[in-house]
Amino acid sequence: MPDWLMSVPAFIVAIGVLVAVHEFGHFWVARRLGVQVLRYSVGFGPRLLGRTGRDGTEYWLSAIPLGGYVKMLDDREGEVPADQAHRAFNRQPVASRIAIVAAGPGINFLFAIAAYWLVFMLGVGGIKPVIGEVPAETRAAAAGLEQRDQVVAVDDRSTPTWQELRLTLLQRTLDGDMVSLTVNAADGGQRRVMLDLSGVSAEPETLFTELGMQPFQPGGVPVIADVLDGSAAAAAGMQAGDRVLAAGDESLDGPQALVDWVQARPGETIELKIERNGQPMTLSITLARADGEDGPVGRLGAQISVDASQWEDLRTVTRLDPLSAIPAAVAETWSITALTVRLLWRMVIGDVSWKNISGPIQIADYAGKTATIGLEAFLGFLALVSVSLAVLNLLPVPVLDGGHLMYYAVEIIRGRPLSEQAQIIGQQAGMLALLMLMSLAFYNDIMRLLG
């Protein structure tokens, strides 16, 4: 099945759910504070489905499922009957307006907590953080880490999976401190080592490479998991499920051995001895050539794995009871929020690349992949995006919720609101900033697609 058949609907569901939740926060608090809500719409554009409540509020499902909005009574947008003026949003005390605006991001944080709570009860799956080969003269080597070591804690914070280890080390890298790793060795012993993070770049994509910590790859016969359309592998007739027994005259012990062998032969015609449905075959493949960090590298155009059984000992699942899952969900939401804010600040000051900003294409790709993995992964994805949506909306940029909150803070300080002209100029500047950010996100997505 083509990836987009899963990515597009998963993306629409994710955005629809998260925006509906966000706008419901505005809607619910506005109603509780006596403001007349004229319309609560999931999606933009013309109405597909809808009804009108007893109080005159319209509930719409609109044609474009990429957003939503809450329209409130406001005499800046049209004439308001005198007997309804007290229900207009702009006539409310500043504290009420702050509560209504802040409710959108606030409910996104609550949604993330609820999603993580379900994830922790269903079970958080992952791969144990077992270290692969440790290159010499890296920080991991200097700390004394060895192949097959499993990092079970960082500064007494448990790290049951690579994902948890990655997030924890990324947070510690932003502090630039020395950290203590609790390690279980392959022989069953346990020890502590000190890892120096001072001066390490906080780039999420390169952090482990810079530290010299890579996941352990189990040995075994490499198996072709997928063949990319238009690739060298596809042109040679390679198929998913093929077992690669040898490359040229060399036997292979695991996927990484095949990857390294292929990358060392850019543009060359090679022979791979494979087994398909129990039958031995030899394929002649002319490798593609791509630019690597240290020069050209060979490209096969296939995803390589090993038999699933080889990974069984590395898989782990952590489940919590409903009560224990509550503080864990709150802590996870707080941790992701703090990390997001800190990474955004590092982008502003230039310590972290803006290439890490993802747009709708990348988000759709992640939505499709997590939906394919299962409910727990998709809920975790929704929680992460919900936190990102909340943080983004709280930025002090006019047109975002944070921009309105900034205006209200100025109003409290000055004793009166900013002039309408000043607010219009701010809105225009905010729209320009948002457009530039969206353009950058699209550019990053396109560059990732182009490799």
Side-chain angles (χ1 to χ4, degrees):
M1 177 173 46
D3 291 344
W4 64 267
L5 285 179
M6 179 60 77
S7 296
V8 172
F11 175 73
I12 290 174
V13 169
I15 294 300
V17 168
L18 295 178
V19 172
V21 166
H22 180 91
E23 296 301 332
F24 181 78
H26 297 312
F27 166 83
W28 190 84
V29 174
R31 292 277 295 265
R32 293 303 178 276
L33 293 177
V35 174
Q36 174 65 50
V37 178
L38 303 178
R39 183 180 303 150
Y40 171 48
S41 176
V42 178
F44 293 114
R47 183 185 71 171
L48 294 178
L49 299 172
R51 68 178 184 85
T52 301
R54 294 180 180 178
D55 61 351
T57 301
E58 297 176 331
Y59 300 90
W60 281 19
L61 178 64
S62 299
I64 305 174
L66 297 176
Y69 62 92
V70 169
K71 183 178 181 181
M72 291 175 269
L73 191 67
D74 194 316
D75 57 21
R76 295 170 299 182
E77 299 179 5
E79 187 174 349
V80 175
D83 62 339
Q84 292 294 310
H86 67 288
R87 303 191 66 190
F89 172 78
N90 65 304
R91 298 289 187 91
Q92 303 305 306
V94 67
S96 297
R97 282 177 278 145
I98 288 174
I100 293 169
V101 170
I107 202 169
N108 278 126
F109 287 124
L110 292 177
F111 177 88
I113 292 172
Y116 280 130
W117 178 70
L118 284 172
V119 167
F120 286 128
M121 287 194 300
L122 292 171
V124 180
I127 301 298
K128 297 176 183 177
V130 178
I131 306 295
E133 183 178 356
V134 180
E137 299 182 2
T138 61
R139 292 177 186 251
L145 287 172
E146 300 175 357
Q147 187 171 3
R148 292 182 176 267
D149 281 345
Q150 179 181 345
V151 182
V152 296
V154 176
D155 288 341
D156 297 322
R157 175 175 172 176
S158 177
T159 54
T161 64
W162 267 104
Q163 176 67 6
E164 191 64 31
L165 176 62
R166 180 176 181 271
L167 290 175
T168 305
L169 283 182
L170 187 56
Q171 291 169 338
R172 299 295 194 270
T173 300
L174 293 171
D175 298 325
D177 295 334
M178 184 82 72
V179 295
S180 171
L181 306 183
T182 303
V183 174
N184 286 345
D187 61 8
Q190 188 176 88
R191 68 185 191 280
R192 281 181 179 261
V193 300
M194 300 303 295
L195 180 65
D196 184 9
L197 299 178
S198 60
V200 175
S201 170
E203 287 289 345
E205 293 184 358
T206 61
L207 174 61
F208 278 104
T209 301
E210 187 173 350
L211 292 176
M213 298 171 62
Q214 299 299 327
F216 173 74
Q217 298 285 340
V221 176
V223 178
I224 302 303
D226 190 23
V227 177
L228 306 182
D229 293 338
S231 66
M238 182 169 275
Q239 298 178 11
D242 288 347
R243 294 163 55 87
V244 184
L245 305 178
D249 295 325
E250 299 181 24
S251 60
L252 301 167
D253 183 23
Q256 192 58 47
L258 176 57
V259 170
D260 294 341
W261 194 89
V262 166
Q263 288 183 343
R265 292 163 174 81
E268 294 183 18
T269 299
I270 64 168
E271 287 190 348
L272 295 181
K273 296 178 176 64
I274 69 168
E275 180 185 280
R276 179 181 298 167
N277 299 323
Q279 298 298 317
M281 300 175 60
T282 299
L283 296 180
S284 180
I285 305 174
T286 301
L287 298 175
R289 177 187 294 263
D291 293 329
E293 293 183 2
D294 300 318
V297 295
R299 285 285 186 265
L300 180 62
Q303 295 179 5
I304 306 168
S305 184
V306 293
D307 289 337
S309 60
Q310 300 290 329
W311 289 91
E312 286 304 318
D313 290 341
L314 292 176
R315 291 195 176 98
T316 182
V317 177
T318 302
R319 290 187 179 89
L320 299 176
D321 62 77
L323 193 59
S324 300
I326 295 174
V330 172
E332 186 71 9
T333 301
W334 170 254
S335 178
I336 296 297
T337 301
L339 181 60
T340 302
V341 172
R342 297 180 72 184
L343 284 175
L344 281 173
W345 174 245
R346 290 300 182 96
M347 288 183 193
V348 171
I349 64 178
D351 285 350
V352 174
S353 172
W354 289 88
K355 293 180 181 179
N356 290 290
I357 293 178
S358 297
I361 299 175
Q362 185 78 353
I363 294 172
D365 182 48
Y366 285 142
K369 288 178 178 176
T370 55
T372 301
I373 293 171
L375 178 61
E376 299 93 329
F378 190 61
L379 283 172
F381 166 77
L382 289 179
L384 179 63
V385 177
S386 189
V387 169
S388 299
L389 182 63
V391 172
L392 177 65
N393 268 281
L394 286 173
L395 294 178
V397 177
V399 312
L400 298 177
D401 292 334
H404 292 295
L405 295 175
M406 179 178 64
Y407 283 155
Y408 301 149
V410 172
E411 181 177 343
I412 292 173
I413 294 171
R414 297 177 75 236
R416 64 183 187 280
L418 288 171
S419 68
E420 186 173 334
Q421 182 63 27
Q423 293 190 45
I424 290 174
I425 293 173
Q427 298 282 350
Q428 292 172 341
M431 285 294 294
L432 178 61
L434 204 56
L435 180 61
M436 293 172 64
L437 185 62
M438 291 174 61
S439 299
L440 176 62
F442 269 110
Y443 173 79
N444 287 343
D445 282 357
I446 292 170
M447 293 305 293
R448 290 188 187 102
L449 287 176
L450 295 177

